[in-house]
Amino acid sequence: MSHGSPCTTGHAAPQEALERRLESELAEIRTAGLWRELRRVDSAQGRRIRVGNREVLNFSSNDYLGLANHVVLREAAIKAIEKFGCGSGASRLVCGSLSPHHQFEESIAAFTGSEAALAFNSGHAAALGAIGALMGSHDVVVIDRLAHASLVDAVRLSGARLLVFPHNDLDGLERVLRRRDCQGAVRRPRVLVVTESVFSMDGDRAPLGEIVEIKDRFGAWLMVDEAHATGLFGDRRSGLGEQPGLGDRIEIRMATLGKALGSSGGCICGSRKLVDLLVNRARSFIFTTAPVPAASAAASAAIEIVQSDEGARRHHRLWQNVAGMAELLTDVTTSPANGASAIFPIVVGSESVAMKAASNLFERGVLAPGIRFPTVARGAARLRVSLTSDHTHDDLGLLARALREILANAG
Ligand SMILES: *Cc1c(COP(=O)(O)O)cnc(C)c1O
């Protein structure tokens, strides 16, 4: 008898089994009309980008202020590379805590009016780290139904009980907070309410003032994901959480650096003690190599631009574009959020209609992605148009005309 592994006797080689399994899962995805593939882009981000051998008008990026390819960010990144190199070498706690990260954290803490801040490699990692560090299996997280997948993943990974309240529904939030789960008699659980300030796929805003009142009344904490608001809202433009009277009452503010700030990474802003706890407990901070120095340096440069006269001009152009687009789309989108942010969802319902509309748009030289399950609910597929300060009035007109024709033909 051979000593060959008994596990493989009579079975296909494991590699073959894996390939077959992959094949059947891929077939399932295709059949469901949910197939996704990457589209290679051969240029920097901007209002026009190169895709394959053509140039298209880009309404798909979150580079709201046109900073991703801004000369000042590029120079800041290059300088950081020249001084600190490309890689950070190790985790922040080992030897990767390079000064560009500290500078960035000081700068975003001042920007958001927080005591302290901690940078992560991505917004996704920031969500995992913060929720995982604070919440455990005895605790409850109450989350808006439309909150980003990274927040949902974070709650699941933390082991906390996940309760959902209907989107932006204050009575719904109260109802959930009144449930027994949140009012544990034996060992009062810690309760964390989680929402986005601007919703990534719907473009509407959370009623933060009211949410803060409610969570305070119930003694819960609040985490606000400002991914689509950082750099865009408020007098200082640090996000919706900077509204007077809110700052101190939002325990955890999350920012992403890859959207309006034109760089890459995530960040948690809050008290010094919160940040100290994250340094000690957040696994997605501890067990990962620090962000590249260029990313932190570019984000610091972005925060400076946002607060400068140029930032004010970019801001003004963006909001002019938002107002213009809202008007052009009044008959195309029925979204009540039309104009509340730089994100315009054009909900068509059917996944196949949304994907067909996106591909028709692309044929006309316009890139606006079709968004479908699991990014949004089944049957709520949409085109997602996002505007930047660099779009021109003609760009908006072209998009609106194309949308109107394509959607009319789609019936
Ligand atoms: C993009 C996004 C994130 C994740 O941020 P990354 O830096 O891209 O990982 C988290 N929350 C929301 C609402 C987002 O839109």
Side-chain angles (χ1 to χ4, degrees):
M1 261 195 78
S2 97
H3 288 278
S5 147
C7 296
T8 59
T9 318
H11 295 280
Q15 295 84 349
E16 270 171 46
L18 173 62
E19 288 300 307
R20 271 209 310 279
R21 165 77 179 268
L22 297 176
E23 216 170 90
S24 89
E25 295 214 2
L26 292 172
E28 232 171 78
I29 296 172
R30 274 186 206 275
T31 315
L34 298 175
W35 182 254
R36 300 173 177 222
E37 62 195 351
L38 298 171
R39 199 190 327 249
R40 176 172 169 152
V41 177
D42 292 308
S43 64
Q45 285 298 323
R47 76 175 250 281
R48 304 191 71 89
I49 54 174
R50 236 192 135 65
V51 180
N53 53 7
R54 56 191 299 205
E55 208 184 66
V56 293
L57 194 50
N58 181 17
F59 285 102
S60 68
S61 95
N62 302 313
D63 180 24
Y64 300 114
L65 296 175
L67 298 184
N69 190 32
H70 191 288
V71 62
V72 171
L73 271 75
R74 289 159 64 126
E75 277 168 7
I78 290 167
K79 253 170 75 183
I81 288 174
E82 281 170 354
K83 183 150 182 211
F84 296 97
C86 288
S88 291
S91 160
R92 290 278 295 279
L93 285 162
V94 178
C95 72
S97 200
L98 305 176
S99 49
H101 307 320
H102 292 268
Q103 273 159 15
F104 163 72
E105 287 163 353
E106 283 160 25
S107 126
I108 195 160
F111 180 47
T112 56
S114 313
E115 207 172 85
L118 190 68
F120 289 76
N121 274 306
S122 68
H124 197 280
L128 294 189
I131 294 177
L134 276 180
M135 308 307 280
S137 55
H138 295 291
D139 302 320
V140 180
V141 180
V142 181
I143 191 167
D144 185 287
R145 179 177 299 290
L146 295 190
H148 194 260
S150 61
L151 301 164
V152 176
D153 291 353
V155 182
R156 290 202 178 124
L157 195 59
S158 75
R161 181 92 195 270
L162 173 66
L163 298 177
V164 173
F165 68 99
H167 177 52
N168 275 348
D169 179 341
L170 298 168
D171 293 336
L173 171 60
E174 279 210 49
R175 262 197 309 279
V176 174
L177 287 171
R178 264 201 213 96
R179 280 173 54 162
R180 270 245 310 281
D181 323 59
C182 296
Q183 308 278 320
V186 185
R187 179 194 178 281
R188 193 190 157 83
R190 299 177 296 181
V191 178
L192 174 68
V193 176
V194 176
T195 188
E196 291 175 34
S197 57
V198 171
F199 284 83
S200 61
M201 295 300 143
D202 290 72
D204 54 345
R205 308 181 198 171
L208 287 186
E210 289 85 346
I211 291 176
V212 162
E213 292 298 330
I214 293 172
K215 70 91 190 170
D216 272 358
R217 204 146 29 81
F218 284 87
W221 301 325
L222 177 62
M223 172 169 176
V224 177
D225 178 350
E226 298 254 42
H228 297 275
T230 304
L232 302 175
F233 291 87
D235 290 340
R236 285 197 309 276
R237 302 194 267 280
S238 79
L240 282 169
E242 78 164 58
Q243 293 166 63
L246 289 193
D248 297 346
R249 295 163 76 193
I250 300 173
E251 287 77 8
I252 308 170
R253 271 175 83 187
M254 174 177 145
T256 61
L257 323 187
K259 286 157 184 163
L261 297 183
S263 179
S264 169
C267 185
I268 297 290
C269 301
S271 71
R272 167 52 54 193
K273 289 197 179 86
L274 173 68
V275 166
D276 287 347
L277 183 84
L278 295 181
V279 169
N280 282 277
R281 285 256 180 88
R283 296 173 64 85
S284 62
F285 174 83
I286 299 169
F287 299 106
T288 192
T289 301
V292 295
S296 289
S300 297
I303 290 173
E304 254 178 60
I305 293 182
V306 166
Q307 293 173 296
S308 71
D309 291 346
E310 182 188 347
R313 284 195 300 276
R314 286 181 177 268
H315 207 251
H316 181 69
R317 285 209 306 272
L318 175 66
W319 290 106
Q320 257 184 341
N321 281 344
V322 169
M325 192 86 255
E327 204 168 302
L328 283 166
L329 291 187
T330 28
D331 56 329
V332 176
T333 169
T334 51
S335 167
N338 194 17
S341 73
I343 301 162
F344 290 79
I346 295 138
V347 179
V348 298
S350 141
E351 282 75 25
S352 59
V353 171
M355 298 323 284
K356 186 85 180 87
S359 100
N360 286 343
L361 267 182
F362 190 76
E363 276 159 31
R364 290 168 181 244
V366 178
L367 179 58
I371 306 280
R372 65 207 144 142
F373 182 81
T375 308
V376 296
R378 280 185 204 279
R382 66 202 59 189
L383 293 166
R384 178 184 185 270
V385 168
S386 48
L387 301 185
T388 77
S389 53
D390 288 344
H391 286 122
T392 67
H393 194 72
D394 286 350
D395 295 342
L396 306 186
L398 193 150
L399 170 70
R401 272 194 309 282
L403 276 175
R404 201 165 282 119
E405 285 172 30
I406 285 166
L407 294 172
N409 292 335

